[in-house]
């Protein structure tokens, strides 16, 4: 695996160089930016926090006779709206600059807004995968790598599985039609590594299971 910087001169969208003979692109896609804003940048939780802060501030600014000083609330509300706008903008730019590619040999992740990185993940270095559905057909597909193939958490963010810090898992975030993409990934992995078992952590995943909350690719 390797990371390649800056791809203004891509050989093809999402690919820093031409594919070798015999390798072909099977699927390409990008995160749904609205879902990315909700699940990666947590705009709903931040908005709820800001709303609670405004409510507490309004209570504190209300005089005993019922009068309220609106100016501090307007200033605070404007700052909160600006912060939410920045989060939404970052999510949009992140989704727009991201392109995931499945070939018959590997997974390619082009990520990054200012500093662009491309990660090449050959199927032979992918030990397992998991699918977390989010509703509306989108979901996260996390890729478990072999222990010796560690990628820095900060290099992947926000394209990594939550809470996996010491052994980060590259993740295709908020992918539309995630179940179908996961099945494609599984079929390609099996074709490339015929006769081997796909593992997640230390336990082999024997049967595919797609549930509303968590599924496994096997």
């Amino acid at each position: 695996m390797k990371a390649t910087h800056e791809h203004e001169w891509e050989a093809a969208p999402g690919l820093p160089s031409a594919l070798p003979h015999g390798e072909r692109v099977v699927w390409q896609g990008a995160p749904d930016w609205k879902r990315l804003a909700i699940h990666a940048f947590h705009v709903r939780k931040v908005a709820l926090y800001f709303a609670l802060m405004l409510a507490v501030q309004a209570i504190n600014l209300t005089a005993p006779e019922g009068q309220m000083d609106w100016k501090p609330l307007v200033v605070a509300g404007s700052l909160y709206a600006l912060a939410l706008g920045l989060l939404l903008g970052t999510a949009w730019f992140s989704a727009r600059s991201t392109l995931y590619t499945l070939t018959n040999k590997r997974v390619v992740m082009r990520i990054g807004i200012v500093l662009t990185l491309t990660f090449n993940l050959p199927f032979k270095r992918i030990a397992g995968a998991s699918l977390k559905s989010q509703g509306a057909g989108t979901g996260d597909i996390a890729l478990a790598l072999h222990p010796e193939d560690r990628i820095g958490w900060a290099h992947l963010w926000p394209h990594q599985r939550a809470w996996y810090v010491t052994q980060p898992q590259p993740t295709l975030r908020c992918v539309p039609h995630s179940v179908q993409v996961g099945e494609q990934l599984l079929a390609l992995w099996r074709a490339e590594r015929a006769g081997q078992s796909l593992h997640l952590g230390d336990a082999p995943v024997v049967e595919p299971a797609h549930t509303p909350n968590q599924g496994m690719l096997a």
Side-chain angles (χ1 to χ4, degrees):
M1 292 179 294
K2 61 180 180 179
T4 307
H5 297 263
E6 305 299 336
H7 300 295
E8 290 84 356
W9 309 103
E10 290 180 322
L15 301 172
S17 60
L19 293 177
H21 178 71
E23 186 173 1
R24 67 186 187 281
V25 174
V26 178
W27 172 88
Q28 283 189 319
D32 181 301
W33 80 269
K34 295 180 181 178
R35 291 284 173 178
L36 192 67
I38 292 171
H39 295 283
F41 293 88
H42 306 288
V43 291
R44 284 182 176 173
K45 297 175 183 176
V46 174
L48 178 59
Y49 173 77
F50 285 162
L52 291 174
M53 293 300 294
L54 280 176
V56 170
Q57 190 173 3
I59 293 173
N60 291 333
L61 292 173
T62 302
E65 57 272 16
Q67 296 180 343
M68 181 184 296
D69 184 2
W70 289 97
K71 185 176 180 179
L73 284 180
V74 172
V75 172
S78 300
L79 293 175
Y80 294 160
L82 176 61
L84 286 174
L86 290 174
L87 273 180
L88 288 171
T90 304
W92 184 83
F93 277 113
S94 180
R96 183 178 176 83
S97 61
T98 296
L99 189 59
Y100 305 131
T101 303
L102 294 184
T103 77
N104 57 322
K105 300 290 185 180
R106 54 181 162 157
V107 179
V108 184
M109 299 173 61
R110 187 195 68 190
I111 63 175
I113 299 175
V114 178
L115 178 61
T116 305
L117 297 173
T118 298
F119 290 100
N120 291 290
L121 309 174
F123 289 131
K124 64 182 180 180
R125 306 310 305 168
I126 296 177
S130 64
L131 169 65
K132 181 179 181 182
S133 298
Q134 300 163 342
T138 64
D140 291 345
I141 301 175
L143 307 176
L145 306 178
H146 293 289
E148 62 270 21
D149 296 324
R150 185 179 183 278
I151 302 176
W153 186 93
H155 293 143
L156 287 170
W157 188 89
H159 308 274
Q160 87 296 330
R161 189 176 182 182
W163 308 113
Y164 283 71
V165 178
T166 57
Q167 190 67 32
Q169 295 186 4
T171 303
L172 313 185
R173 296 299 301 267
C174 305
V175 176
H177 310 294
S178 57
V179 173
Q180 292 88 335
V181 176
E183 290 173 348
Q184 276 188 312
L185 171 63
L186 173 60
L188 293 169
W189 190 96
R190 282 177 169 168
E192 179 67 11
R193 301 184 60 169
Q196 299 185 35
S197 298
L198 184 63
H199 288 67
L200 182 65
D202 296 326
V205 183
V206 180
E207 294 292 337
H210 303 296
T211 65
N213 294 321
Q214 183 74 30
M216 299 298 181
L217 308 179

